[in-house]
Structure formats: C-alpha cells, structure tokens
Amino acid sequence: MIKGIAITTVWVLDQDRAKEFYTDKLGLEVRTDMTMGGDKGMRWLTVGAQDQPDVELTLMVPGPPVMDAESAEALKALVSKGVLGAGVLSTDDIRRDYKAFQAKGVEFLQEPQVRPYGTEAILRDDSGNWFSLTERSERLDLDKDWGECVDPM
C-alpha cells in the first residue's frame, strides 16, 4: 500500500547550478549527490527541506538513460521556456521568506497575494520551473478572491 510521496523529479538544465540555487538560495539541504553506474553514469542529486526528511526533490537533467535525445531536447525547451510548474513550497511566514529570497536574487513572477487557501507568491528557479510559495490558511475561505493566474512566460 502506498504510504506517501518520497521523491519527485524537478527537471533542470544544469545540476551544479540547480544544486546551488536550491541550497544557497532556497535553503534546502543536499540529501544525495552521487553517480550511479560509474564515472559516465547518471548523476543522482536530491535535495529536501530540513524539517521534512522523508520527501526529496531529485534534480535531473533530461536525457539518457531516462529518455531518448529527441524527448530530452523537447523537455529542455519546455523547462527553459518557463512553462513547467514544479509544485508548491510551503512556508510559515511568506513575507519573511519572500524578502529573504528576493535579497538572494530569486526571481518572483508574483508578489505575495491572499488566496482562499492562504497567501501565495510565485517564484522561478534558475532553469525556468515555477513554484508556488505558499503560507497556508488554517481553513479554505471561498469568500476570498482567487486572483488572476500568473502567466509563467
């Protein structure tokens, strides 16, 4: 029986740059950084939030052995274009983190805005993926405005 999500993939264009972005700018920690299958094998790089040891993001460059060259190039084009939303990053103080991330050079597509589910800002990683940075409300408030969807491009 499934117990939860342990690892999910974020497609990136450069693993070294992504490692720096996710650790130095967002404050995640490296969980694994190794090469599987010898010197010419696949690099397995995972990061995660310190307070959530059972969930990891694997930062993967599209390509073999996971996919063929044509598919890899198509996925790289979508990532770099900024059309892929990678998920929601949770925070307990969005205004504090928004300011701290801005000071570290994180690009935001949307400043914090109140939504029915909490307060949300939209950020972009160094490859082009966008994330919702969300401070969740205790309850869903459908009387609040949903606002406009952000065009990630």
Side-chain angles (χ1 to χ4, degrees):
M1 178 168 219
I2 295 173
K3 301 289 184 184
I5 295 175
I7 300 173
T8 190
T9 301
V10 176
W11 297 106
V12 299
L13 303 177
D14 180 289
Q15 285 178 304
D16 289 324
R17 257 190 19 237
K19 179 181 177 180
E20 182 179 328
F21 178 86
Y22 284 88
T23 59
D24 294 349
K25 292 188 178 185
L26 297 186
L28 301 180
E29 62 184 16
V30 173
R31 301 281 175 76
T32 308
D33 190 354
M34 61 180 261
T35 302
M36 299 184 339
D39 292 341
K40 300 209 186 256
M42 179 180 77
R43 183 176 180 190
W44 184 254
L45 172 61
T46 68
V47 297
Q50 182 179 9
D51 294 336
Q52 197 175 22
D54 56 338
V55 178
E56 298 176 72
L57 302 176
T58 180
L59 307 175
M60 297 284 292
V61 175
V66 179
M67 66 187 68
D68 63 83
E70 181 182 351
S71 297
E73 289 308 310
L75 185 51
K76 287 177 186 176
L78 290 172
V79 170
S80 63
K81 191 174 181 180
V83 298
L84 299 181
V88 178
L89 304 172
S90 64
T91 178
D92 61 355
D93 188 337
I94 193 165
R95 303 219 184 273
R96 172 200 66 210
D97 291 344
Y98 175 76
K99 289 177 185 173
F101 292 160
Q102 271 193 318
K104 292 180 179 181
V106 173
E107 176 189 3
F108 279 87
L109 304 175
Q110 172 194 290
E111 63 186 33
Q113 295 184 12
V114 176
R115 303 281 190 228
Y117 46 86
T119 305
E120 170 188 62
I122 306 295
L123 66 88
R124 187 187 308 270
D125 75 4
D126 67 309
S127 292
N129 298 299
W130 58 270
F131 288 85
S132 166
L133 176 65
T134 301
E135 180 181 342
R136 292 183 70 170
S137 300
E138 289 187 27
R139 64 179 185 80
L140 188 63
D141 183 353
L142 295 176
D143 291 330
K144 290 200 168 77
D145 186 20
W146 286 94
E148 292 184 31
C149 292
V150 173
D151 181 355
M153 303 196 310

